[in-house]
Amino acid sequence: MNNKDLCLKAAEYIFSKKGYNVVLIDIREQTSITDYFLICSADSDTQIKAITDEIEKKLLENENIKPWHIEGRNNANWVLLDYVDFVIHIFKKETREYYALEKYWGDAPMEVIEDKLSEVKK
């Protein structure tokens, strides 16, 4: 599974815990630090923790990968899961608006990820 596919899998796990406003940014042409940023929003510390735990658990169980580093788990306003080739940012809504990462990477290709399960329920 390539890095973009892994990000899309992680997006499914985000949606399963009611995360929203999911964006995938391809930063391969802008930097060598990583290939992709996957960014999402959540409404509470509890939800951020649930999303973080779900991604970490499911990527390990299903893809046998674990994060190289996790930042912000105790703070829960912004948790960063660093898988080296892709980085997942889980923001509390207000914190995401404040830092506006999408604006910093505005020249990079960006894709809004839709929750396919919610489309089926409609």
Side-chain angles (χ1 to χ4, degrees):
M1 190 171 280
N2 67 40
N3 294 327
K4 183 175 181 179
D5 290 338
L6 289 168
C7 287
L8 295 175
K9 271 291 188 199
E12 290 177 23
Y13 308 142
I14 290 166
F15 291 128
S16 76
K17 295 299 178 185
K18 308 296 185 218
Y20 58 93
N21 198 8
V22 180
V23 175
L24 180 63
I25 306 174
D26 180 346
I27 59 174
R28 293 176 290 182
E29 296 297 319
Q30 284 71 27
T31 184
S32 61
I33 59 169
T34 192
D35 291 346
Y36 296 96
F37 280 164
L38 183 66
I39 303 171
C40 76
S41 296
D43 291 324
S44 68
D45 295 357
T46 304
Q47 187 180 21
I48 290 172
K49 181 179 178 346
I51 292 169
T52 301
D53 292 347
E54 184 75 356
I55 293 169
E56 186 178 13
K57 176 183 157 201
K58 294 288 188 173
L59 285 179
L60 181 59
E61 282 177 2
N62 299 333
E63 308 303 329
N64 199 32
I65 61 170
K66 57 184 175 179
W68 173 72
H69 182 72
I70 299 174
E71 188 69 39
R73 182 171 271 180
N74 295 331
N75 164 324
N77 278 314
W78 177 1
V79 174
L80 181 145
L81 294 164
D82 185 346
Y83 285 91
V84 179
D85 294 324
F86 60 95
V87 177
I88 302 170
H89 299 269
I90 307 161
F91 281 102
K92 192 175 280 184
K93 182 182 176 190
E94 303 80 26
T95 306
R96 182 174 181 178
E97 290 169 1
Y98 178 81
Y99 285 102
L101 282 188
E102 292 94 331
K103 289 182 183 176
Y104 289 112
W105 300 98
D107 55 341
M110 205 170 298
E111 179 180 348
V112 174
I113 309 299
E114 300 293 333
D115 182 357
K116 293 177 183 153
L117 292 177
S118 72
E119 293 298 318
V120 171
K121 293 176 187 175
K122 288 182 181 176

